[in-house]
Short mmCIF file of all heavy atoms in Angstrom, two decimals:
data_model
loop_
_atom_site.label_atom_id
_atom_site.label_comp_id
_atom_site.label_asym_id
_atom_site.label_seq_id
_atom_site.Cartn_x
_atom_site.Cartn_y
_atom_site.Cartn_z
N MET A 125 0.80 -2.70 -2.41
CA MET A 125 0.70 -3.53 -1.21
C MET A 125 -0.73 -3.55 -0.67
O MET A 125 -1.20 -4.57 -0.15
CB MET A 125 1.67 -3.02 -0.15
CG MET A 125 3.13 -3.22 -0.51
SD MET A 125 4.26 -2.46 0.67
CE MET A 125 3.88 -3.35 2.17
N CYS A 126 -1.42 -2.41 -0.79
CA CYS A 126 -2.83 -2.36 -0.35
C CYS A 126 -3.70 -3.26 -1.21
O CYS A 126 -4.65 -3.89 -0.72
CB CYS A 126 -3.34 -0.93 -0.39
SG CYS A 126 -2.64 0.15 0.89
N VAL A 127 -3.40 -3.34 -2.51
CA VAL A 127 -4.15 -4.23 -3.40
C VAL A 127 -3.95 -5.69 -2.97
O VAL A 127 -4.90 -6.48 -2.91
CB VAL A 127 -3.71 -4.02 -4.87
CG1 VAL A 127 -4.34 -5.10 -5.76
CG2 VAL A 127 -4.11 -2.64 -5.35
N ILE A 128 -2.69 -6.05 -2.68
CA ILE A 128 -2.41 -7.41 -2.22
C ILE A 128 -3.11 -7.69 -0.90
O ILE A 128 -3.66 -8.78 -0.69
CB ILE A 128 -0.89 -7.62 -2.07
CG1 ILE A 128 -0.18 -7.40 -3.41
CG2 ILE A 128 -0.59 -9.01 -1.54
CD1 ILE A 128 -0.63 -8.33 -4.51
N ARG A 129 -3.13 -6.71 0.00
CA ARG A 129 -3.83 -6.88 1.27
C ARG A 129 -5.31 -7.14 1.05
O ARG A 129 -5.90 -8.01 1.70
CB ARG A 129 -3.62 -5.63 2.12
CG ARG A 129 -4.37 -5.64 3.47
CD ARG A 129 -4.58 -4.24 3.96
NE ARG A 129 -5.40 -3.45 3.04
CZ ARG A 129 -5.54 -2.14 3.13
NH1 ARG A 129 -4.92 -1.45 4.06
NH2 ARG A 129 -6.30 -1.49 2.25
N ASN A 130 -5.92 -6.39 0.13
CA ASN A 130 -7.33 -6.60 -0.16
C ASN A 130 -7.59 -7.98 -0.74
O ASN A 130 -8.61 -8.62 -0.44
CB ASN A 130 -7.83 -5.53 -1.14
CG ASN A 130 -7.93 -4.16 -0.50
OD1 ASN A 130 -7.99 -4.04 0.72
ND2 ASN A 130 -7.93 -3.12 -1.32
N LEU A 131 -6.67 -8.47 -1.57
CA LEU A 131 -6.84 -9.81 -2.15
C LEU A 131 -6.69 -10.89 -1.09
O LEU A 131 -7.31 -11.95 -1.19
CB LEU A 131 -5.82 -10.03 -3.27
CG LEU A 131 -6.10 -9.31 -4.59
CD1 LEU A 131 -4.95 -9.49 -5.57
CD2 LEU A 131 -7.40 -9.82 -5.21
N VAL A 132 -5.85 -10.64 -0.09
CA VAL A 132 -5.71 -11.61 1.00
C VAL A 132 -7.00 -11.66 1.81
O VAL A 132 -7.46 -12.73 2.22
CB VAL A 132 -4.50 -11.23 1.89
CG1 VAL A 132 -4.48 -12.08 3.16
CG2 VAL A 132 -3.20 -11.41 1.11
N ARG A 133 -7.61 -10.49 2.03
CA ARG A 133 -8.87 -10.45 2.78
C ARG A 133 -10.01 -11.07 1.99
O ARG A 133 -10.85 -11.78 2.55
CB ARG A 133 -9.22 -9.00 3.14
CG ARG A 133 -8.27 -8.36 4.14
CD ARG A 133 -8.68 -6.91 4.40
NE ARG A 133 -7.82 -6.29 5.41
CZ ARG A 133 -7.91 -5.02 5.76
NH1 ARG A 133 -8.83 -4.24 5.19
NH2 ARG A 133 -7.10 -4.51 6.67
N ASP A 134 -10.08 -10.77 0.71
CA ASP A 134 -11.15 -11.27 -0.15
C ASP A 134 -10.58 -11.43 -1.55
O ASP A 134 -10.23 -10.44 -2.20
CB ASP A 134 -12.34 -10.30 -0.16
CG ASP A 134 -13.55 -10.86 -0.88
OD1 ASP A 134 -13.41 -11.89 -1.59
OD2 ASP A 134 -14.64 -10.27 -0.76
N ASN A 135 -10.44 -12.67 -2.02
CA ASN A 135 -9.76 -12.90 -3.31
C ASN A 135 -10.68 -12.75 -4.52
O ASN A 135 -10.28 -13.07 -5.63
CB ASN A 135 -9.11 -14.28 -3.32
CG ASN A 135 -10.13 -15.40 -3.12
OD1 ASN A 135 -11.33 -15.18 -3.03
ND2 ASN A 135 -9.64 -16.63 -3.05
N ARG A 136 -11.89 -12.26 -4.32
CA ARG A 136 -12.79 -12.04 -5.45
C ARG A 136 -12.40 -10.76 -6.20
O ARG A 136 -12.00 -9.78 -5.58
CB ARG A 136 -14.24 -11.96 -4.98
CG ARG A 136 -14.79 -13.29 -4.46
CD ARG A 136 -16.20 -13.13 -3.93
NE ARG A 136 -16.25 -12.26 -2.76
CZ ARG A 136 -17.38 -11.90 -2.15
NH1 ARG A 136 -18.54 -12.33 -2.62
NH2 ARG A 136 -17.34 -11.12 -1.08
N ILE A 137 -12.54 -10.79 -7.51
CA ILE A 137 -12.14 -9.65 -8.34
C ILE A 137 -13.28 -9.27 -9.28
O ILE A 137 -14.23 -10.04 -9.50
CB ILE A 137 -10.88 -9.95 -9.17
CG1 ILE A 137 -11.16 -11.12 -10.13
CG2 ILE A 137 -9.69 -10.26 -8.28
CD1 ILE A 137 -10.06 -11.35 -11.15
#
Side-chain angles (χ1 to χ4, degrees):
M125 292 174 63
C126 289
V127 171
I128 300 300
R129 177 203 61 192
N130 289 340
L131 285 174
V132 170
R133 292 178 177 176
D134 188 347
N135 60 3
R136 291 177 295 177
I137 62 170

